[in-house]
Amino acid sequence: MPPSAVSQPEQFTIGRLAKAAEVNIDTVRFYERQGLLQIAPRSAGGYRLYGAADAQRMQFIRRAKTLGFSLEDIAELLQLTEDGHDRSRVKAIAQKRVADLEERIRELEKMRSVLAHHAGHCSGHGAVKGCPIIQALLSEQG
Amino acid sequence: MPPSAVSQPEQFTIGRLAKAAEVNIDTVRFYERQGLLQIAPRSAGGYRLYGAADAQRMQFIRRAKTLGFSLEDIAELLQLTEDGHDRSRVKAIAQKRVADLEERIRELEKMRSVLAHHAGHCSGHGAVKGCPIIQALLSEQG
DNA sequence: CTTGACCCTGAAGTGGACTCCAGGGTTTAG
DNA sequence: CTAAACCCTGGAGTCCACTTCAGGGTCAAG
């Protein structure tokens, strides 16, 4: 095989990894402590060294976070991608998350409709005494 | 006037107030520290004494919380009900809250639709390698 | 050789809204 | 008179996902 084929694995320090993933440098160290990132090998001077796989892992975490997964769930998802696990657990985690999202959305929509209703009945001027919003909070009729 | 007319204002201790409002007893003390409840007068033995107005105030807080107001907002709303303020500030707080709720709902709906989409493409069996959910997290094409 | 950018550690702080704890005093039922 | 149930205080702990801090070591440029 050619001498320079897969030999230089493109290493970089924590600062570059953090910048690439658009997170705080301390967040990377935090993820390591939390077990989301593998413990990085060190340079002679004690600096953490990362490679492309770590950058991809950070992207995985970032995307999972935008879907609202907790770090705990993300840790499990990452774990599942490593060993030869079955897809069922991944799907279960995702479905649980969808269900949680739906419940939370329903809660927020209830809040929104009730509050918008009260706000819609408030003229926005005059004394607070008698304001429909305050009245609703003082004594809900339901 | 008759001797027993408006004389006994129906006082009770913190435990009863907490039970009536369905909150932890420590929550009542916490609200006092936070300025949500007025500092209660004390009995001879040093017990806090509450009346009907405090119970109503606790209900106000409870209802505002179910609409998702922060304790800080609730403190301001309570303040506004006391002095001779104008309704405009109340309405502004409510409208801000509605806007925040709407933004949050949109965020959660985005998460839900993306995640449900991926989950819908996952068979739920077979190796994790190739699972559409994991694939999406590993490399989003958008 | 010095400056500045970068990296290291363990520990503590943040925010929001509580909740719990230890070590007491008070009140009431029996 | 005693035991149970209730109340008091200041302070610490909880959850989550970081962020900040103090006090250093390392590395590349000039």
Side-chain angles (χ1 to χ4, degrees), chain A residues 35-37 57 60-61 73-83, chain B residues 134:
Chain A
L36 292 172
L37 295 178
R57 215 174 160 94
F60 184 106
I61 296 171
D73 275 346
I74 296 172
E76 184 172 358
L77 288 172
L78 283 166
Q79 180 63 37
L80 290 171
T81 66
E82 278 169 11
D83 316 336
Chain B
I134 296 297

Side-chain angles (χ1 to χ4, degrees), chain A residues 121-135:
Chain A
H121 286 163
C122 174
S123 63
H125 51 76
V128 166
K129 192 173 170 62
C131 166
I133 300 166
I134 295 297
Q135 286 308 308

